[in-house]
Amino acid sequence: LARKSNNIERFSDSLEGKNILITAATNGIGLELSKVLSKRNTRLFVTGRRADKTIELVEELNKLNTNVWGKNADFTDDKETASMWKEAVKNLGTIDIVIHLPIKSYTRMKLMKTDKSSFNDLNKKNFDRVMHINQLAVDHMKSKKLAGRIIVSSSAKADVNTTKLTHGSEILMNSQIERYTDLLSRELEGYGIAVCCVRIDRDTSNSLINYKLPIKPNKLAEKLLKPLDKIPKLFGRDPKKIVGVYMECLKLNISELNGKIFSTETFIRDKKLAPYVSPDILQRNLD
């Protein structure tokens, strides 16, 4: 039976000193969010796929906040994911908040053409890693009786119902993440742990090169395309604008947060109208 909880804590006044794990923190939104949170006197553990970029980020954040640690991990490897979590708990002691940021992926596939291996790889980078880390987080938060917060990320692709302009793999992964968030939030009712989803329905990449590639490039193509990522915001929007949505989520109590989907587009247009809507209502509207 779920234990009853009267916890209606708002994190806005108590974010200081919170222990936070941020995945995919070395680029884009994750990078900007890590910088903002490090200035709030939080205790952070950041992750990234590449060891050099993770170390570089930790060193940069340590100039602002000495209570920042990190470890690189390939989330397609369950052992590396488990090792990363163990290291995070070792450094932070307890983990109050887990924030999942999107992992940049070149793989975009039509479902009728994709092979099983490529699809499994895409699934591991997106859905599987979120589910695995969340299972570790929930077990940890329940055992420590923490008022935990888990924030997952999706995109507007979750709402698309045609594959004419969007590949089926993108739609499936994002809609799967949102439905999973909904179901997990129901399971966690009464435990004092809230889970929500931030739907990034604006393009926040720094270029459209990565965003539009239909296939994963080979090593030579990656080398040729890499410099284009450094072109600042000529084609994309500033990830800094999206950070405010995540910070707003951290202010809410359990009833305001649990099971909700937050739209970044609406937040940017008018913060006062930035809605949080339950997946049930969202689905009824779509129907």
Side-chain angles (χ1 to χ4, degrees):
L1 294 176
R3 65 180 174 85
K4 298 297 181 181
S5 174
N6 295 319
N7 192 319
I8 57 171
E9 177 184 3
R10 299 182 71 88
F11 274 20
S12 57
D13 298 323
S14 56
L15 191 59
E16 183 172 332
K18 291 293 182 183
N19 300 328
I20 305 173
L21 168 66
I22 306 176
T23 68
T26 57
N27 290 293
I29 304 169
L31 177 60
E32 297 302 329
L33 182 60
S34 298
K35 291 178 179 177
V36 171
L37 286 172
S38 65
K39 296 176 182 178
R40 293 290 296 273
N41 199 27
T42 57
R43 303 176 79 247
L44 298 180
F45 192 92
V46 296
T47 73
R49 183 176 61 84
R50 289 172 47 183
D52 57 339
K53 293 193 71 173
T54 305
I55 293 172
E56 181 181 332
L57 175 59
V58 172
E59 290 177 346
E60 179 183 356
L61 296 180
N62 279 158
K63 296 175 183 178
L64 303 170
N65 185 340
T66 57
N67 292 314
V68 178
W69 301 268
K71 180 178 174 61
N72 66 297
D74 177 358
F75 290 121
T76 63
D77 187 322
D78 288 347
K79 290 184 178 179
E80 286 199 25
T81 301
S83 176
M84 178 279 298
W85 179 264
K86 185 177 181 180
E87 187 72 15
V89 173
K90 177 182 176 182
N91 285 281
L92 296 177
T94 58
I95 298 177
D96 304 294
I97 303 168
V98 174
I99 303 175
H100 297 278
L101 280 305
I103 292 179
K104 187 182 292 184
S105 174
Y106 293 101
T107 310
R108 299 173 186 279
M109 304 168 289
K110 290 185 176 180
L111 296 177
M112 64 181 177
K113 293 183 177 181
T114 184
D115 61 275
K116 184 177 179 180
S117 176
S118 297
F119 184 81
N120 286 343
D121 182 63
L122 180 65
N123 195 55
K124 285 183 177 180
K125 289 179 180 177
N126 291 274
F127 179 74
D128 281 5
R129 57 109 182 178
V130 169
M131 185 173 182
H132 187 186
I133 294 173
N134 283 355
Q135 288 175 336
L136 295 170
V138 168
D139 286 345
H140 172 80
M141 292 171 180
K142 284 170 61 179
S143 67
K144 302 293 184 181
K145 297 183 178 180
L146 300 172
R149 301 290 187 270
I150 298 173
I151 302 177
V152 182
S153 303
S154 68
S155 83
K157 300 295 191 301
D159 246 359
V160 178
N161 56 15
T162 176
T163 58
K164 290 182 179 179
L165 298 175
T166 304
H167 288 135
S169 60
E170 294 180 88
I171 300 171
L172 187 60
M173 290 302 160
N174 284 282
S175 60
Q176 183 176 222
I177 285 174
E178 290 193 359
R179 182 58 175 150
Y180 159 77
T181 304
D182 175 28
L183 293 172
L184 181 61
S185 70
R186 296 170 187 268
E187 292 183 353
L188 292 176
E189 288 178 357
Y191 284 98
I193 303 169
V195 56
C196 74
C197 184
V198 173
R199 179 184 287 175
I200 304 170
D201 40 18
R202 276 198 170 202
D203 172 28
T204 56
S205 60
N206 286 330
S207 78
L208 287 181
I209 301 300
N210 290 347
Y211 184 73
K212 291 294 184 182
L213 278 177
I215 60 173
K216 183 177 181 179
N218 57 34
K219 290 184 178 180
L220 177 60
E222 282 187 327
K223 185 176 181 180
L224 293 173
L225 291 170
K226 189 174 181 180
L228 296 176
D229 280 340
K230 297 181 180 179
I231 300 176
K233 306 174 187 65
L234 291 181
F235 306 106
R237 295 181 175 91
D238 190 350
K240 292 180 181 179
K241 294 183 179 180
I242 308 299
V243 169
V245 184
Y246 290 88
M247 295 300 293
E248 192 72 14
C249 287
L250 294 176
K251 297 179 181 179
L252 303 176
N253 62 42
I254 289 175
S255 62
E256 295 171 318
L257 189 69
N258 199 35
K260 305 301 191 301
I261 296 175
F262 297 79
S263 164
T264 59
E265 181 69 27
T266 305
F267 183 91
I268 290 171
R269 286 204 314 266
D270 190 337
K271 182 177 178 180
K272 293 180 180 179
L273 297 178
Y276 34 92
V277 56
S278 73
D280 286 339
I281 297 174
L282 182 66
Q283 189 58 52
R284 285 199 295 273
N285 289 339
L286 291 175
D287 292 339

